[in-house]
C-alpha cells in the first residue's frame, strides 16, 4: 500500500485510479520522458528524476491541494504497477478543465484510455459538478482523437496553449449536462 494516499479513488474493470504520491516517482518520470509517450504533447522530457519530482509537486500534487482534483495515477490491478495517468486537470491558461490520459506503450491499444476516461467523466460530472470538459490533441495523434470521439467529444477548433508555444492543438469539447 502506498503511504500517504488520500483523495478520490475510482475503480474500473482493470484499473484503480488514485491520486499520485511520491512513491510513484519512477512511473511518473517514465510517463514524462519516454519519447513514444510524449511525442504529441509538446513538452520537453524531464531532464532528471529531480525534475520529475519537481513537476509531480507542481502539477498533480499542487492541483489536488488547489482545486481538489487532478490527474489520477492509473494502477494496473493485476500487478499494482502504475501504468499511466488519466483525469481532469484545470488549465489556468485557458480556464478550462482538460481530460488527459497517458499510458506506457506496452498498455496501448487495449482500451485503457477509454476505460479510465469514462470513469473520470462520471467523476467530473457527479463528484466535481463540472459542466464541460475539453481535450487538447495534437492533430497527428490519431489514437487520442479516436478516444475522444468515442467518448462523445466533438471538435471545436484548432488553437494553441500559452504554456506550449509553437504547437497548435485540436480542441475537443464535451458538455456534461446538469
Amino acid at each position: 500500500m502506498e503511504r500517504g494516499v488520500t483523495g478520490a479513488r475510482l475503480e474500473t474493470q482493470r484499473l484503480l485510479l488514485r491520486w499520485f504520491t511520491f512513491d510513484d516517482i519512477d512511473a511518473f518520470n517514465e510517463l514524462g520522458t519516454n519519447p513514444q509517450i510524449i511525442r504529441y504533447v509538446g513538452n520537453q522530457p524531464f531532464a532528471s528524476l529531480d525534475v520529475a519530482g519537481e513537476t509531480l509537486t507542481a502539477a498533480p500534487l499542487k492541483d489536488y491541494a488547489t482545486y481538489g482534483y487532478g490527474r489520477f495515477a492509473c494502477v494496473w490491478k493485476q500487478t499494482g504497477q502504475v501504468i499511466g495517468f488519466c483525469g481532469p486537470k484545470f488549465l489556468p491558461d485557458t480556464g478550462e478543465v482538460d481530460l488527459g490520459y497517458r499510458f506506457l506503450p506496452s498498455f496501448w491499444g487495449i482500451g485503457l484510455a477509454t476505460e479510465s476516461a469514462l470513469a473520470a467523466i462520471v467523476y467530473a460530472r457527479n463528484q466535481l459538478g463540472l459542466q464541460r470538459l475539453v481535450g487538447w490533441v495534437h492533430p497527428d495523434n490519431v489514437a487520442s482523437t479516436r478516444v475522444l470521439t468515442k467518448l462523445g467529444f466533438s471538435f471545436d477548433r484548432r488553437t494553441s496553449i500559452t504554456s506550449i508555444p509553437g504547437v497548435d492543438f485540436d480542441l475537443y469539447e464535451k458538455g456534461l449536462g446538469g
Side-chain angles (χ1 to χ4, degrees), residues 40 42 72-73 75 78 95 98 102-103 109 112-113 137 161 166:
Y40 294 125
F72 290 102
V75 179
Q78 288 184 354
D98 172 65
R102 269 186 216 178
F103 288 90
L112 293 178
V137 183
I161 303 172

Side-chain angles (χ1 to χ4, degrees), residues 59-82:
L61 300 182
K62 183 178 179 188
D63 289 343
Y64 306 148
T66 304
Y67 307 112
Y69 63 90
R71 304 281 199 235
F72 290 102
C74 294
V75 179
W76 186 243
K77 285 182 181 179
Q78 288 184 354
T79 63
Q81 172 190 11
V82 174

Side-chain angles (χ1 to χ4, degrees), residues 37-109:
I37 298 171
I38 64 170
R39 72 178 162 194
Y40 294 125
V41 296
N43 307 73
Q44 291 299 311
F46 299 138
S48 67
L49 197 58
D50 287 340
V51 172
E54 291 167 8
T55 304
L56 181 63
T57 300
L61 300 182
K62 183 178 179 188
D63 289 343
Y64 306 148
T66 304
Y67 307 112
Y69 63 90
R71 304 281 199 235
F72 290 102
C74 294
V75 179
W76 186 243
K77 285 182 181 179
Q78 288 184 354
T79 63
Q81 172 190 11
V82 174
I83 61 162
F85 67 66
C86 179
K89 174 181 177 50
F90 180 74
L91 301 176
D93 288 358
T94 65
E96 300 275 11
V97 179
D98 172 65
L99 177 67
Y101 36 83
R102 269 186 216 178
F103 288 90
L104 299 175
S106 57
F107 291 89
W108 289 357

